Amino acid sequence: MKKYITLISLALAGGLAVSGCESPRNPANPVPQEQPPTVNGDATPPASSDASAELARGDSPAGASMQSTGKAVDDTWITTKTKTALLAEPELKAGSIQVETHDGVVALTGKVPSAEHSKKATMVARGIEGVTDVDNKLTVTQ
């Protein structure tokens, strides 16, 4: 008897749980529509495709921020790849070479033992994807 009461209780609980679900296809139980945000009681118009285009082009402050963030990520990636490539060169003492990137232009600073090392560092940096130019400010110490 207890088994039947437990079974009936579970069935009723399951039925209640399912009946509480909202289904967007059930016209008898419509889903409440979300109200647009308001400013001083006036409805804020939805973003237009023109606004989306402005963002993509960078014509709006938010779009410019998105583009500059992308450039910053690209520059960081280029810097990391350049440092890694310099460290992989057995001839270079890459630990003494600093790398900075701005808009794809890699700046190399620090000290190297010879002009050949300076040229090699420049060649390595130029071989990195995304590098548009290399500004070699390395100092040769002999």
Side-chain angles (χ1 to χ4, degrees):
M1 184 70 144
K2 284 185 180 182
K3 287 183 183 181
Y4 293 114
I5 293 174
T6 305
L7 185 59
I8 292 172
S9 298
L10 288 174
L12 287 174
L16 288 174
V18 171
S19 69
C21 293
E22 297 182 42
S23 173
R25 296 181 186 164
N26 184 353
N29 188 12
V31 177
Q33 297 297 317
E34 191 173 310
Q35 296 298 318
T38 60
V39 178
N40 297 329
D42 297 330
T44 304
S48 68
S49 60
D50 291 338
S52 298
E54 284 180 3
L55 282 174
R57 286 191 311 267
D59 292 346
S60 73
S65 175
M66 288 170 54
Q67 285 188 343
S68 65
T69 301
K71 287 181 183 177
V73 170
D74 290 344
D75 287 345
T76 302
W77 185 87
I78 291 169
T79 298
T80 303
K81 293 297 281 184
T82 303
K83 287 181 179 181
T84 303
L86 289 170
L87 287 170
E89 284 296 320
E91 305 168 14
L92 294 175
K93 292 184 179 180
S96 62
I97 300 174
Q98 289 78 45
V99 180
E100 291 184 22
T101 307
H102 184 69
D103 292 334
V105 178
V106 174
L108 303 174
T109 57
K111 297 179 181 182
V112 290
S114 69
E116 289 79 27
H117 284 93
S118 178
K119 288 178 188 176
K120 180 70 173 175
T122 299
M123 289 177 57
V124 168
R126 283 197 176 133
I128 302 299
E129 181 183 350
V131 173
T132 58
D133 197 11
V134 177
D135 184 13
N136 186 333
K137 298 178 182 177
L138 294 169
T139 304
V140 176
T141 59
Q142 292 183 352

